[in-house]
Amino acid sequence: MEQHCLAIVRRSDLIDLFKFGHLTVHQAITFDGNVEKHADDERLFDLVTCRMNMYDYSFEYMLLHFTCSVYSGLSVNVTIERLQAVYAFDEETKREFSLSFDKRINLQVSPWAKFFDSRHKEMQFAQQLKGIDNIWRILQLPREHLKRCKDIVPYDILKEAFEQQYTGMRLEGKHSIWVYLLRYERHSYYPKEQMGFFCDMMHTYMNFAKEQVLDGEQAEKSNLYGQLSKEDNFITLYQKASKTPLSELTHRASNCDFIKVAPLFLLMKDLLANGITSQKLEECKSQIAYAKEDLSPESSLAFYLIGFILGHDKTYYAYYDCLPLPFMKKGSEPTPSLISQPQERINLPGKESTPNKNKTPFQEKSYQKSEASIIFYMHNGKKGKNRIQYEAHSEEEKISKEKQGYKIYKDNKRPKGWDPVNASNTCEDQHPTIL
């Protein structure tokens, strides 16, 4: 009896199916054959996606609808003749695929787009939490402090900050002071010395008190600002701040020594923006030593927040050094290329970055084009209305397009009226196209 099945596969699997004509699919789930009818069927969605691995971008996976005559379990051999439909997770992914897929393929958008988005957020949040456990192991912080940290800033507050960041919208309204701290980005002209991080702490409290993100140098309006000096070290700055009314106000809002936690967190966030490596740990050893020697949960709380902000993606490099992993060479240096190296982000004052639901909220990935990247201005060799223009952003991409008959404009000069087909594409992926 003919049965209809749904399964999640990687994009490379679909390429193999198209190229070789058959594919073994795992975690295939039978259903009645009408995908649209199950648009709100969360139970079926959970059955189909429950074994999905973590992924960065939705174009890494696809949803396939196919038929089979023999269904003996979750693994099914699919032939190209039995493939009924191919679904991208969402509209944005469909546009991404349309640039490289064979035009004959009727690529559709899954009716589960909202479910896929929600599932991806859950996965990303779990990865952010994993960063906390990683940093506890890396720095060998007291385990009893972890419980205190969770009491002060429970996971529901972390999740609120995560979801707020996920939207990309400017924060406003009544939120925990921790949400305002985790969402804080410096747009003001504060000193680059350690004093500047105490200015950031004051600015964070003012944002919290006014229930909105304030522009300008708000910290300069505080009585504490005039008592601080650029020459002061962290301990001196903290001692001065602890003697002001701000200490009590922030303690009441945070249920801890906020004037210690916030500047230490913001300082470490700045130092470790690109992730934790052995070199970075060496650069931060004085701050780490201070936090560990202080022996207070508040100092550990700064690293609790750092672990969450960095997530597993920016902590696994050093975390793996702490583990007796049997597949690693003994005494070998980690390969730098294995660690994520996000591009530096420049925020304009008063602006929020554009949200991208395929991006981890607290991180910027190298998915965006670099302004310094090489651009090859190409065309398909035809004239008039039949000419198709294309921007290649790497040597590999250029070679790939040349194999398809594309040529580079003379001296690689951008012609007038430049209108490439991939102008809106943020990152032409390097997977082989389905020809």
Side-chain angles (χ1 to χ4, degrees), residues 97-112:
F97 284 149
S98 66
L99 297 172
S100 57
F101 271 27
D102 190 302
K103 302 301 181 185
R104 294 171 296 175
I105 296 177
N106 180 25
L107 185 61
Q108 303 177 58
V109 177
S110 164
W112 289 337

Side-chain angles (χ1 to χ4, degrees), residues 269-308:
K269 178 185 173 185
D270 182 64
L271 293 172
L272 301 173
N274 289 326
I276 299 180
T277 63
S278 299
Q279 180 181 348
K280 283 295 181 183
L281 290 176
E282 181 66 22
E283 293 174 7
C284 304
K285 63 182 181 182
S286 61
Q287 289 81 15
I288 294 171
Y290 166 74
K292 294 180 72 174
E293 290 169 7
D294 184 61
L295 296 179
S296 69
E298 279 82 357
S299 296
S300 294
L301 181 55
F303 291 100
Y304 174 85
L305 299 176
I306 282 293
F308 176 68

Side-chain angles (χ1 to χ4, degrees), residues 142-398:
R143 296 302 299 181
E144 59 272 17
H145 284 188
L146 184 56
K147 183 179 184 304
R148 172 63 177 151
C149 291
K150 291 178 180 178
D151 290 339
I152 298 173
V153 187
Y155 284 174
D156 60 341
I157 288 180
L158 296 179
K159 190 162 190 178
E160 181 184 355
F162 173 88
E163 291 177 344
Q164 286 290 329
Q165 184 82 2
Y166 200 92
T167 66
M169 301 296 289
R170 194 178 178 92
L171 185 63
E172 63 178 0
K174 192 173 182 62
H175 302 283
S176 165
I177 194 171
W178 298 111
V179 175
Y180 276 97
L181 177 63
L182 289 166
R183 286 291 313 275
Y184 179 81
E185 294 287 347
R186 183 189 292 185
H187 300 304
S188 304
Y189 295 101
Y190 293 138
K192 61 181 180 180
E193 293 81 9
Q194 294 192 12
M195 172 185 170
F197 299 104
F198 280 81
C199 294
D200 293 329
M201 176 270 295
M202 291 183 271
H203 199 137
T204 299
Y205 177 74
M206 293 176 182
N207 288 345
F208 163 74
K210 295 293 185 180
E211 299 185 359
Q212 60 179 307
V213 176
L214 302 170
D215 296 323
E217 287 65 48
Q218 295 295 320
E220 295 180 5
K221 301 176 183 179
S222 169
N223 294 331
L224 172 60
Y225 183 82
Q227 303 175 37
L228 305 181
S229 169
K230 294 180 182 179
E231 285 69 40
D232 290 343
N233 62 26
F234 188 91
I235 295 176
T236 303
L237 291 163
Y238 167 67
Q239 290 172 342
K240 289 181 178 181
S242 64
K243 296 175 182 178
T244 66
L246 184 63
S247 176
E248 183 180 348
L249 289 170
T250 55
H251 195 288
R252 194 182 305 149
S254 65
N255 194 31
C256 78
D257 195 356
F258 188 80
I259 60 171
K260 177 190 291 183
V261 176
L264 183 59
F265 161 70
L266 293 166
L267 172 61
M268 297 303 295
K269 178 185 173 185
D270 182 64
L271 293 172
L272 301 173
N274 289 326
I276 299 180
T277 63
S278 299
Q279 180 181 348
K280 283 295 181 183
L281 290 176
E282 181 66 22
E283 293 174 7
C284 304
K285 63 182 181 182
S286 61
Q287 289 81 15
I288 294 171
Y290 166 74
K292 294 180 72 174
E293 290 169 7
D294 184 61
L295 296 179
S296 69
E298 279 82 357
S299 296
S300 294
L301 181 55
F303 291 100
Y304 174 85
L305 299 176
I306 282 293
F308 176 68
I309 287 288
L310 297 180
H312 180 71
D313 190 49
K314 292 188 178 182
T315 56
Y316 75 82
Y317 185 76
Y319 175 63
Y320 292 168
D321 282 346
C322 302
L323 300 177
L325 298 175
F327 65 89
M328 292 282 202
K329 295 179 181 178
K330 293 183 179 180
S332 62
E333 287 295 320
T335 306
S337 62
L338 290 178
I339 188 170
S340 298
Q341 296 291 352
Q343 289 180 305
E344 182 179 358
R345 180 181 65 183
I346 300 176
N347 283 321
L348 298 175
K351 299 285 185 179
E352 295 290 336
S353 57
T354 304
N356 183 333
K357 59 186 174 183
N358 287 321
K359 207 182 293 181
T360 306
F362 290 105
Q363 304 167 11
E364 291 292 330
K365 291 189 173 289
S366 55
Y367 182 61
Q368 297 174 329
K369 289 179 184 175
S370 168
E371 292 297 326
S373 63
I374 300 173
I375 297 178
F376 298 97
Y377 301 105
M378 309 183 73
H379 62 87
N380 64 344
K382 297 182 180 180
K383 297 181 179 180
K385 294 182 180 180
N386 293 322
R387 169 158 290 191
I388 298 176
Q389 296 175 325
Y390 190 89
E391 282 186 10
H393 292 266
S394 69
E395 186 70 30
E396 293 81 3
E397 190 178 352
K398 175 180 77 75

